[in-house]
Amino acid sequence: TMFGQMAHRTFNYSWLLVPRNEIESQEVKAICDTLSYYQLPGRSTESFLQFLDIPLHFTIKYLWSGRVNRYIEQPNRCVLSNITVTYGGSSRAQRHLDGAPIEVGLDLTFMEVEPLIRNKFNSNHSLSGGDKVKADQIELNNLKNVTETFGGGDV
């Protein structure tokens, strides 16, 4: 069959953090520890049963001049599915005098908790996380322009 399953989209981000002093080294450590903490599931107990809670959700927004950038597709709610912290980077043996690494590589993978579907068009006809608009709420003239642009048929 052509259609197998809906995949949850992932978003990858990578940073190279280069602390210049002890205060910045502590801030980098706090960032890495906090993200690692929120990636993990919690544990709840009810009587003698124990359950793992889903990891906390993240809301990612791409901004431009302090506003949501409407030209970039915004992710739905995500979980942090993978975090890789590389201490030392290309200079693994080099450390500050207090033992802190001179650079830290931080690689994050976020995965949406729900797949993106066609019903997620907002009133501006751009895909946006969590916005649900029924098809009959979209102006037919604008939808016709979109389908003609992409080679679609009559609306």
Side-chain angles (χ1 to χ4, degrees), residues 16-145:
L16 180 62
L17 308 171
V18 184
R20 296 171 291 184
N21 54 45
E22 184 177 353
I23 292 172
E24 288 183 1
S25 292
Q26 290 171 0
E27 290 171 347
V28 167
K29 182 175 180 352
I31 290 168
C32 295
D33 290 350
T34 301
L35 288 168
S36 294
Y37 174 81
Y38 285 113
Q39 178 205 13
L40 300 171
R43 179 179 290 173
S44 62
T45 59
E46 293 185 22
S47 66
F48 64 93
L49 299 174
Q50 292 189 7
F51 299 96
L52 290 179
D53 296 327
I54 8 181
L56 297 176
H57 294 177
F58 289 80
T59 300
I60 300 171
K61 297 289 180 199
Y62 301 122
L63 304 178
W64 183 260
S65 297
R67 295 184 178 166
V68 172
N69 188 336
R70 62 188 181 105
Y71 295 102
I72 299 178
E73 188 176 327
Q74 305 293 321
N76 289 319
R77 286 178 304 143
C78 296
V79 293
L80 179 55
S81 60
N82 189 48
I83 179 170
T84 302
V85 181
T86 307
Y87 298 102
S90 60
S91 56
R92 294 185 194 281
Q94 294 184 346
R95 305 274 180 206
H96 288 284
L97 294 176
D98 64 354
I102 64 166
E103 62 183 52
V104 176
L106 180 59
D107 297 302
L108 306 175
T109 301
F110 289 90
M111 182 176 61
E112 288 182 329
V113 294
E114 60 180 307
L116 186 65
I117 57 174
R118 189 171 38 228
N119 301 38
K120 298 274 183 173
F121 263 46
N122 70 17
S123 59
N124 294 324
H125 309 296
S126 60
L127 294 172
S128 141
D131 291 333
K132 294 182 181 179
V133 175
K134 293 181 180 176
D136 61 358
Q137 293 174 325
I138 298 174
E139 295 177 33
L140 288 179
N141 287 339
N142 289 339
L143 187 56
K144 183 175 182 179
N145 293 339

